[in-house]
Amino acid sequence: MKTSVSENNAPQQAAPAGCGCEQVTPYGSRGDSKAEQVRDMFDNIAPAYDFMNRAMTFGIDRLWRRRAVGMLRRHGARRILDVATGTADLALLMARMLPQSAVTGVDLSEGMIAVGRRKVDEAGLGSRICLQCADCLALPFPDASFDAVTVAYGVRNFESLAAGYAEMARVLRPGGRLCVIELSTPRSPLVRPLYNLYTRHIIPAVGRLVAHDTRAYAYLPESIAAVPQGDDMLALMRRARLTQTKCHPLTFGTCSIYTAVRPDKE
């Protein structure tokens, strides 16, 4: 369910230097970096990840991905990079909905990539989808390599959002499009209490039973609450010199799709 669209095309406006979600880590003060903790967390929960995604969103996450791919389809993207690809759900959907496309997916977690490769092989799409482990903040691709870059539910896990957006902008060709799907906190006073109850109590309990990692699913609501949302997220995109930034809230504000364009001239 779409609720509204906001847009801001002012590339000169900068986002704050740091974001609260960068300080939220899966395993607290364990002593290592957020990137290392995120990698370990997803390695731990990879076997249960797809089931938990469907259960947590009642399957609506599939509709959110389909809407995002529909936005890309209008622009004829052929070379697509899927950052934080996880188990390749979005990469697979793009390959099916965009039959002329070739998709490269990257992720920190070997465990998630392994699950994704099995799914790609089962779908018979190995010739069009390539998955590899890579650091989203140091992408192993030349400048202007892709027509589109996507991220589904991944930017809140970045150790630095500013660095992540700068890297994604770098590998986009001029005129290329960025599409970010991210969970968000509903603003409605009617929806928000139910949302908080579900994400803060029910999801961690199910995560403990199914994924055997309570902390990973307690991290979920913490990271959603801390990640920049709406205009704040668009400001981060503009800080990376992206333009035509838009926010598309969905399903009572529980998810948002953010889009932007690398300008032809910078």
Side-chain angles (χ1 to χ4, degrees), residues 40-59:
D40 290 349
M41 177 188 72
F42 283 113
D43 280 347
N44 290 340
I45 67 174
Y49 180 79
D50 286 340
F51 173 80
M52 286 296 297
N53 257 14
R54 302 295 97 78
M56 287 189 306
T57 66
F58 304 100

Side-chain angles (χ1 to χ4, degrees), residues 185-205:
T185 305
R187 297 182 179 181
S188 166
L190 297 177
V191 176
R192 190 162 185 164
L194 295 174
Y195 170 87
N196 287 338
L197 173 66
Y198 183 66
T199 57
R200 294 177 184 176
H201 300 285
I202 296 175
I203 287 178

Side-chain angles (χ1 to χ4, degrees), residues 139 160-171 236 239-242:
L139 294 169
S160 167
L161 271 73
Y165 277 123
E167 268 295 270
M168 292 188 287
R170 178 185 67 79
V171 300
L236 276 166
R239 188 181 180 195
R241 305 184 68 82
L242 296 165

Side-chain angles (χ1 to χ4, degrees), residues 97-206:
M97 289 183 64
L98 309 173
Q100 304 304 314
S101 67
V103 184
T104 300
V106 298
D107 199 280
L108 276 175
S109 167
E110 287 276 7
M112 297 287 274
I113 287 288
V115 175
R117 284 179 178 143
R118 287 198 296 271
K119 291 162 64 175
V120 169
D121 289 343
E122 289 169 2
L125 290 169
S127 64
R128 293 182 46 222
I129 300 176
C130 174
L131 303 181
Q132 64 186 80
C133 278
D135 185 347
C136 302
L137 305 190
L139 294 169
F141 308 109
D143 295 355
S145 297
F146 297 97
D147 301 317
V149 176
T150 60
V151 192
Y153 321 115
V155 296
R156 61 194 162 80
N157 299 318
F158 287 4
E159 197 160 64
S160 167
L161 271 73
Y165 277 123
E167 268 295 270
M168 292 188 287
R170 178 185 67 79
V171 300
L172 270 176
R173 67 164 174 78
R177 309 189 77 83
L178 173 66
C179 183
V180 174
I181 313 171
E182 190 50 87
L183 300 173
S184 48
T185 305
R187 297 182 179 181
S188 166
L190 297 177
V191 176
R192 190 162 185 164
L194 295 174
Y195 170 87
N196 287 338
L197 173 66
Y198 183 66
T199 57
R200 294 177 184 176
H201 300 285
I202 296 175
I203 287 178
V206 175

Side-chain angles (χ1 to χ4, degrees), residues 201-213:
H201 300 285
I202 296 175
I203 287 178
V206 175
R208 180 174 64 251
L209 294 172
V210 176
H212 307 294
D213 192 330

